[in-house]
Amino acid sequence: MPSFQILISDARIVQPDGRVHSADIVLKDGLISEISHSGDPSRADRVIDAKDNFVLPGIIDTHTHMGDPAFPEREDFTSGTAAAVSGGVTTILEMPSSIPPVSDPAAFTSRSNRIAGRAYANIGLYAGAGFDNLSEIEPMSDQGAVAFKTYLQRPPLGREREHAGMHAYDDDQIRETFSVVSKTGKLLVVHAEDDATVSRLTSKFRDEGRNDMGSFLESRPAAAEVRAVKRSLKVASHLGAGTKLGIAHISTRNALELLAQYKLQKSFRIYVEGRPDYLLFDEKDALRFGAFLKTYPPLRTKKDRAAIVEAINRQTIDYFGSDHAPRTRGEKQIPDLWRVPAGTPSIEILLRTLLDLVSKKQIELASIVRMQRTAARAFGLSNRGEVTVGSIADLVLIDLKSTCRIESDRFQTRSKESAVVYDGLKLTGKPLITIVGGRIVMENGVVLKETLGAGQFVQFSQVA
Ligand SMILES: [Zn+2]
């Protein structure tokens, strides 16, 4: 009779500070119950020989748009979390934009009710915070929202309904929204693009009849991000020590410099998120791929890309979110570029993009490990984000050495036909086995369908 479920033998474990050691990891009742040099294979249901490969904490993807239940043709929690675990992601934090938008308690409940039994990876929910739903913020915090999301720029054309209750435009609205969220002790994550700049340039180019990717890139300049980041920092700094500001998908060198300075002051908490597309592509790729690489904010320059790598190493960037935004191929081919929904189905390349940087010696493996711990603390995911005894057994076994080309038709996302931008990318390093709550949900590229339901609704449960 086995006394524990899984033994991972000969695993290498890297600590957030970079120390590495080899050990056997024992998983029991969904937890890491033992890390030692003497795991006894005869007492295990299943032995995984890690063959000296690294076992990392399962990746926490801090930013996804599965959209469930509004757009099943693009994705739902089942297909989206199959994609997640296939990429080594064990927890996704889902953004509130959808129909209904998650900006009141009823919508929060209806969305959280869709998780049990339908997910391979854990799902935590953001809630919307805007100037028009201030009274809903505290109740949604009590329901377990992991963080709040506010957009500082107007919703995209035709998508106003999905975005209700998650916008703040002028300083007063931003201040009010911040002050209500900071009372909950949770993070307010902003999408930082200056509304005045983006709205003015977008209408100008549309009026001129321009419909090309170059105009789109110009309509959302780097300065718009810097302005919005500056404004958020200014408002947050007036609110004092309890405030936690998150900046989603940072894209520019100048905004990173500003954030690095503010982080040194430590007058309030700032968390900065990276996004894999900004490491894989620049504006030239956007011109080449057109609408398939239309993202908000848009792709930037090579210098900005280099600044993102540097910001990982300096810890100005705290964690990574894929910003997985599945769209159908048809939606990406709408003739009016301004109406094409932005985003890429990127969750399956999130970890691989970072591992590839490790293989190129641009970042340390320990940085990836540290990001998971920081994300778990920032979003109140207690007992996750670390490979330690007593932690929940969300793990990913990786192969750091093998190189392969990405083939998007092997992706799990329902929107794989719009993932063409990743085709042919040569990346080194990949997840071999993903474990969620002590269960193997992905092994050698295959998602194990019988484990549907391993992913749980996760709530904010500790104050960072
Ligand atoms: Zn997003």
Side-chain angles (χ1 to χ4, degrees):
M1 183 72 185
S3 45
F4 47 83
Q5 289 100 333
I6 296 176
L7 170 68
I8 308 174
S9 65
D10 293 322
R12 286 167 87 197
I13 301 172
V14 56
Q15 302 295 332
D17 65 9
R19 280 176 301 143
V20 177
H21 71 282
S22 292
D24 294 344
I25 305 172
V26 172
L27 312 185
K28 189 179 175 186
D29 300 328
L31 301 176
I32 298 174
S33 66
E34 206 182 306
I35 298 177
S36 70
H37 291 289
S38 53
D40 177 0
S42 68
R43 290 168 54 211
D45 273 333
R46 165 82 200 266
V47 179
I48 298 169
D49 181 358
K51 298 182 182 139
D52 282 327
N53 282 309
F54 282 97
V55 171
L56 309 184
I59 302 304
I60 297 170
D61 183 343
T62 57
H63 191 145
T64 67
H65 296 269
M66 300 302 169
D68 190 298
F71 310 100
E73 69 285 8
R74 294 175 178 170
E75 202 84 288
D76 59 20
F77 281 148
T78 301
S79 62
T81 56
V85 299
S86 162
V89 171
T90 54
T91 299
I92 64 167
L93 304 181
E94 171 73 0
M95 286 294 173
S97 47
S98 186
I99 298 171
V102 180
S103 30
D104 63 64
F108 193 98
T109 304
S110 76
R111 183 169 253 193
S112 60
N113 283 345
R114 295 184 59 80
I115 296 170
R118 299 183 62 243
Y120 295 97
N122 306 305
I123 303 178
L125 299 180
Y126 280 80
F131 68 92
D132 52 351
N133 77 331
L134 294 171
S135 61
E136 319 282 9
I137 290 172
E138 202 192 321
M140 289 189 289
S141 177
D142 294 341
Q143 287 176 298
V146 291
F148 289 87
K149 173 75 177 283
T150 300
Y151 291 83
L152 303 185
Q153 87 290 8
R154 254 151 254 278
L157 283 171
R159 294 181 53 199
E160 294 76 7
R161 238 182 101 206
E162 293 166 54
H163 279 255
M166 52 193 85
H167 287 263
Y169 305 117
D170 61 38
D171 279 5
D172 285 341
Q173 291 173 350
I174 298 170
R175 193 175 307 114
E176 266 190 278
T177 308
F178 261 118
S179 68
V180 177
V181 171
S182 70
K183 283 186 197 116
T184 68
K186 293 184 185 174
L187 195 54
L188 181 67
V189 174
V190 301
H191 178 122
E193 287 187 283
D194 180 60
D195 183 53
T197 311
V198 171
S199 298
R200 178 174 56 82
L201 292 174
T202 304
S203 350
K204 178 174 177 278
F205 295 152
R206 277 179 70 87
D207 291 349
E208 291 170 5
R210 293 169 65 177
N211 190 38
D212 59 288
M213 201 59 185
S215 314
F216 168 73
L217 295 177
E218 254 182 83
S219 73
R220 307 180 89 101
E225 178 173 270
V226 176
R227 253 171 238 147
V229 167
K230 216 178 252 178
R231 191 176 206 177
S232 314
L233 287 166
K234 205 178 96 197
V235 174
S237 63
H238 286 139
L239 291 166
T243 307
K244 290 186 206 157
L245 169 66
I247 302 288
H249 42 52
I250 197 74
S251 67
T252 64
R253 182 174 60 149
N254 291 348
L256 277 165
E257 275 172 16
L258 198 61
L259 286 160
Q261 288 166 22
Y262 267 82
K263 279 183 142 192
L264 284 176
Q265 297 172 12
K266 295 189 191 305
S267 52
F268 59 99
R269 298 291 290 271
I270 303 169
Y271 293 95
V272 181
E273 180 188 76
R275 181 172 184 275
D277 285 348
Y278 297 133
L279 291 167
L280 294 170
F281 306 113
D282 61 36
E283 55 189 3
K284 292 207 179 72
D285 300 299
L287 292 172
R288 186 159 55 98
F289 282 112
F292 287 95
L293 263 185
K294 178 186 174 186
T295 62
Y296 302 144
L299 273 309
R300 305 294 189 188
T301 65
K302 283 205 167 31
K303 273 190 184 158
D304 292 305
R305 182 202 171 272
I308 289 170
V309 174
E310 199 183 306
I312 297 172
N313 293 322
R314 290 186 175 180
Q315 299 182 40
T316 305
I317 286 179
D318 295 283
Y319 43 71
F320 260 70
S322 64
D323 201 0
H324 180 78
R327 315 296 184 205
T328 66
R329 195 171 174 84
E331 288 174 313
K332 282 292 187 185
Q333 291 171 322
I334 294 171
D336 180 353
L337 179 62
W338 305 99
R339 285 189 174 271
V340 171
T344 51
S346 51
I347 199 164
E348 282 157 272
I349 55 86
L350 166 64
L351 173 59
R352 295 181 70 163
T353 301
L354 295 171
L355 292 177
D356 189 62
L357 288 185
V358 173
S359 82
K360 293 184 171 123
K361 304 209 180 321
Q362 295 188 25
I363 66 168
E364 306 272 343
L365 188 56
S367 295
I368 303 178
V369 172
R370 194 171 48 236
M371 284 181 203
Q372 309 320 311
R373 184 179 68 181
T374 307
R377 291 179 181 176
F379 294 93
L381 311 174
S382 61
N383 285 332
R384 295 184 201 270
E386 289 184 80
V387 184
T388 48
V389 171
S391 290
I392 294 169
D394 290 346
L395 300 166
V396 56
L397 173 68
I398 58 160
D399 165 4
L400 259 184
K401 297 199 181 88
S402 72
T403 301
C404 26
R405 287 192 187 275
I406 302 288
E407 292 171 62
S408 64
D409 64 354
R410 297 173 67 175
F411 277 10
Q412 298 287 330
T413 172
R414 203 166 282 157
S415 288
K416 62 184 177 184
E417 288 188 354
S418 61
V420 287
V421 296
Y422 305 113
D423 271 326
L425 285 177
K426 213 168 113 188
L427 299 178
T428 300
K430 62 173 184 187
L432 294 171
I433 292 181
T434 306
I435 296 174
V436 172
R439 296 175 73 188
I440 299 170
V441 292
M442 185 281 284
E443 190 162 9
N444 298 322
V446 179
V447 176
L448 303 169
K449 303 290 175 201
E450 65 276 17
T451 63
L452 183 62
Q456 316 221 325
F457 171 49
V458 291
Q459 302 184 50
F460 186 100
S461 62
Q462 80 182 6
V463 177

